[in-house]
Amino acid sequence: MQASSKLLHQELELINLLKQKDRQSFSTLYDRYSPALFGVILKIVKTEEVARDVMQESFVKIWKKIDSYDREKGTLFTWILNISRNTAIDKIRSADYRHSQQTSDINDEVTKTQPSTQTPIEHIGLDTLVKSLRIEYQEVINIIYFKGHTHTEAAEALSIPLGTLKTRVKAALQELRKLT
Amino acid sequence: MDSKEYITSGKIEEYILGLLSPKDEKELLEFAEKHPEIKQEIEANQAALNQYANAFSQIPPADLEESIIAELDALAEEEANAPQKRTLTSSVNQEKLAQNTQIKTISKFRIPLIAASVALLLSLVGNVLLYQNWQNTQRKLHTALLDNTQFAQKLQVNQTENQLLAQKLDLLKNPANQYVELKGSDAFPESKVLIYWDDNAETVFLQIENLPEPPEGKQYQLWAIYQDKAIDAGVFETGDKAKQLQKMKAIAGADMFVVTLEKKGGVPQPEGQAYVIGKVS
C-alpha cells in the first residue's frame, strides 16, 4: 500500500508540473513512458519511420492537452497511452499511410496478428506476459486495441460470430488480469 | 442494470478497449461515479490492458526526444508571440504584451537552458575567482612559511649568539680566566683575536674578532709562546665559525699568544707569517 501511494504521489506531482508546462517534467514523462508508447505505436504502424512521426505527434498532443487531463478519469499512463494509440490508429487509416502501404493488403490484417507472422522485434517483457496469453485472446485484443476495429469489423476479420467475439473479449481481459 | 449485471455484461472490457458507443460509454461512466465497485473494476481491467501494452515496449530512437522538444520549443515560441497580434484594449493587455515581447525570443524551453548557461558561466567565473584566491593564499602561505624559516634562522643565530655571550660571560666571570687580546701585526693592523685562558685548568678558548679569510690550502694556527718556545695550541676555523668560541689545545704556560697562517692541518713549529700577537698580562 505504501509503495503504491508513493507512486501515486509521484504521478500526481508529475501531472501538476506538466500542467505548469515545466520543462523538466516533460523529460521525466518522456523517460518514464516513451518505451511503452513507442512500442505500442510501432506495433500499430509497423515501421520505425512512421512510428517516429506518430510518437512526435502524440507527445505534442499530450503537451497541448495536458490541461484537459483529469486524474479522476484514469491514470496518466492510460491517458497518454490512448492518445498515442489513437494517433497511431488515425495514421494507419489515413490515405497517406494506406497509399504507402499499398503492397500489404488490408485483408492481410488477420494473418498479421498471428504470432507466427508477427514482426520479429525484441519486446521487453513480451515473452513472459504475451506468450502466456492464449493466442485467440491475443488476437481479439490486438485486432481491437492495436487496429481500432469495431466489434463487427473484428468479428468479420476473425471470421467468428459477433457473440463469440464479445465473449472472447471478456475472457481475454479476465485472463490478462490473472496474468498481471 | 445493477453493478453485478454491469460486471458480467462485458461492457467494462468493451469500454477499455474503446468499443463502446459514446452513449453507452457516457452511461457506464455515470454509473461508475455512483458505484465504486464498478470504478474499481474499470481500473483493474485498464491496469491489465496497460500492462499488456507495456509488454511491447521499445526504446525509441535516441534523437527522437530532441526532435520532439524542438517542436515543443517552436510551439512555446509561437504561443509567446501570438498575443501580440491582439488589439490592445486594456492596460492589462499592454502589460501582457510587454511581458510577451520580452520573452518572445526566449521560449519556455529555452529559459532553463539559458538559466543553466548563466549558472554555468557564473560557476566558471566563481571557479576562476576561487582559484585566484587560492593561489593568493598559497603565495601568502609560502611567504609566511619563508618568514617563519627566516625567523627560525634568526632565532637560531640569536640563540647561538646568546650562547656565545653566555659562554663569554662565564669565561669572563671566572676569575681563573685570563683575557688576552691579540692585536694585528704591522702587516695586518685590522686583525683581532681574543683568547680566554685558564692556566689552572689549562683551557684555551679562542674567538676571532677579525681575520682575513685564509687562502685555499692554508689555515690559521695558534701558538703559545712560553719561555721563548712556541707551543702548538691547534688550528682553528674561520668564516661561519669565526665568531664562535673555539676550544683550543690545552696550554699550561704562556707568556704570549700568536696566530700564524700555516698550511692546512697545521705545522709543528710556526713557519708562516704572524697575523696577531698578544701578551699575557
Side-chain angles (χ1 to χ4, degrees):
Chain A
M1 274 313 271
Q2 245 178 351
S4 73
S5 83
K6 196 185 166 197
L7 280 176
L8 176 65
H9 180 76
Q10 279 180 355
E11 194 191 322
L12 292 177
E13 203 174 80
L14 177 62
I15 294 163
N16 190 26
L17 286 168
L18 284 169
K19 289 195 175 189
Q20 291 167 30
K21 305 273 164 149
D22 175 78
R23 163 72 180 77
Q24 191 54 47
S25 71
F26 179 81
S27 288
T28 308
L29 179 83
Y30 190 88
D31 289 348
R32 200 174 292 175
Y33 299 114
S34 63
L37 301 187
F38 195 69
V40 165
I41 291 167
L42 197 60
K43 177 102 177 109
I44 298 168
V45 303
K46 307 293 182 200
T47 69
E48 193 176 294
E49 198 194 338
V50 183
R52 279 186 67 110
D53 291 348
V54 172
M55 180 91 153
Q56 177 137 1
E57 205 179 318
S58 303
F59 268 106
V60 170
K61 276 185 196 169
I62 291 165
W63 187 251
K64 277 181 172 172
K65 288 182 172 177
I66 188 71
D67 278 332
S68 68
Y69 165 67
D70 181 1
R71 180 65 177 74
E72 283 298 300
K73 286 176 183 160
T75 64
L76 181 64
F77 183 48
T78 304
W79 187 68
I80 62 174
L81 195 56
N82 280 333
I83 287 180
S84 307
R85 192 171 61 90
N86 290 332
T87 308
I89 290 169
D90 285 348
K91 186 77 178 181
I92 58 170
R93 282 178 184 162
S94 71
D96 261 10
Y97 182 86
R98 286 182 184 224
H99 185 71
S100 71
Q101 302 282 308
Q102 257 175 349
T103 45
S104 63
D105 195 297
I106 201 87
N107 292 324
D108 271 348
E109 277 172 9
V110 181
T111 46
K112 268 196 210 158
T113 58
Q114 302 286 341
S116 56
T117 55
Q118 264 179 358
T119 23
I121 308 168
E122 278 194 32
H123 300 297
I124 301 162
L126 191 64
D127 284 353
T128 45
L129 180 61
V130 180
K131 275 187 181 166
S132 33
L133 188 66
R134 281 162 62 176
I135 286 169
E136 63 253 47
Y137 293 160
Q138 285 185 41
E139 268 178 7
V140 288
I141 292 178
N142 290 351
I143 207 164
I144 295 165
Y145 193 66
F146 292 131
K147 299 229 170 278
H149 281 2
T150 63
H151 280 125
T152 325
E153 285 166 349
E156 248 173 57
L158 294 168
S159 312
I160 51 169
L162 190 60
T164 311
L165 181 97
K166 286 191 174 185
T167 315
R168 214 175 270 181
V169 164
K170 187 167 167 51
L173 261 300
Q174 273 173 347
E175 175 138 338
L176 201 55
R177 277 176 68 175
K178 278 185 214 152
L179 291 171
T180 55
Chain B
M1 216 189 274
D2 66 16
S3 287
K4 260 190 189 159
E5 278 173 327
Y6 244 124
I7 289 168
T8 51
S9 72
K11 282 211 186 310
I12 291 169
E13 291 80 359
E14 289 174 38
Y15 162 68
I16 62 149
L17 282 168
L19 288 172
L20 282 192
S21 67
K23 182 176 158 282
D24 284 354
E25 192 176 303
K26 193 169 170 255
E27 208 180 278
L28 173 66
L29 291 177
E30 276 170 8
F31 190 82
E33 280 300 306
K34 290 169 212 149
H35 300 82
E37 68 274 17
I38 296 295
K39 206 176 172 191
Q40 225 170 7
E41 194 68 12
I42 292 173
E43 280 169 10
N45 276 302
Q46 186 67 64
L49 187 62
N50 286 356
Q51 272 204 235
Y52 180 72
N54 200 31
F56 294 92
S57 283
Q58 287 276 317
I59 306 291
D63 60 325
L64 189 53
E65 185 180 9
E66 217 173 289
S67 163
I68 295 170
I69 284 172
E71 187 174 343
L72 297 183
D73 207 3
L75 255 169
E77 210 165 316
E78 236 172 73
E79 271 173 34
N81 282 331
Q84 274 190 298
K85 292 167 193 159
R86 287 179 203 149
T87 46
L88 316 170
T89 47
S90 69
S91 60
V92 178
N93 267 348
Q94 270 175 330
E95 262 179 43
K96 273 189 182 167
L97 173 68
Q99 280 173 356
N100 284 324
T101 315
Q102 270 188 342
I103 60 162
K104 94 177 172 187
T105 50
I106 309 163
S107 73
K108 278 190 176 107
F109 280 90
R110 282 188 187 143
I111 288 168
L113 194 69
I114 290 165
S117 306
V118 169
L120 180 67
L121 196 69
L122 286 176
S123 159
L124 285 174
V125 169
N127 283 345
V128 169
L129 289 176
L130 277 176
Y131 178 70
Q132 283 177 343
N133 230 333
W134 175 70
Q135 275 201 322
N136 261 335
T137 312
Q138 281 282 97
R139 262 199 297 275
K140 279 181 188 165
L141 179 65
H142 190 65
T143 313
L145 284 175
L146 266 181
D147 284 352
N148 205 15
T149 313
Q150 280 173 349
F151 283 134
Q153 280 171 348
K154 274 185 192 166
L155 184 66
Q156 209 183 355
V157 170
N158 285 340
Q159 275 177 340
T160 312
E161 277 176 4
N162 269 347
Q163 228 177 341
L164 184 70
L165 283 171
Q167 274 181 341
K168 246 177 165 177
L169 197 63
D170 279 347
L171 292 174
L172 286 170
K173 275 201 304 194
N174 186 351
N177 268 318
Q178 300 192 50
Y179 168 71
V180 186
E181 199 177 301
L182 280 60
K183 287 177 177 160
S185 61
D186 292 344
F188 310 97
E190 299 296 310
S191 298
K192 191 178 172 185
V193 170
L194 302 175
I195 297 291
Y196 304 90
W197 175 47
D198 180 346
D199 57 345
N200 286 322
E202 301 179 6
T203 56
V204 178
F205 285 92
L206 177 145
Q207 192 197 344
I208 299 165
E209 287 287 290
N210 187 29
L211 268 181
E213 271 300 298
E216 192 70 24
K218 298 272 187 177
Q219 205 170 14
Y220 289 111
Q221 192 166 2
L222 178 69
W223 307 93
I225 310 294
Y226 188 51
Q227 295 170 352
D228 294 329
K229 280 178 190 166
I231 304 149
D232 172 31
V235 292
F236 57 88
E237 303 289 339
T238 48
D240 283 348
K241 290 180 176 178
K243 287 203 168 175
Q244 284 184 20
L245 283 166
Q246 300 183 59
K247 195 173 184 183
M248 307 307 292
K249 287 183 180 173
I251 295 294
D255 296 324
M256 62 189 336
F257 287 98
V258 180
V259 170
T260 57
L261 187 65
E262 305 294 348
K263 66 177 184 197
K264 203 159 188 165
V267 287
Q269 283 297 309
E271 295 163 7
Q273 206 174 359
Y275 273 66
V276 287
I277 301 162
K279 266 192 175 175
V280 177
S281 53

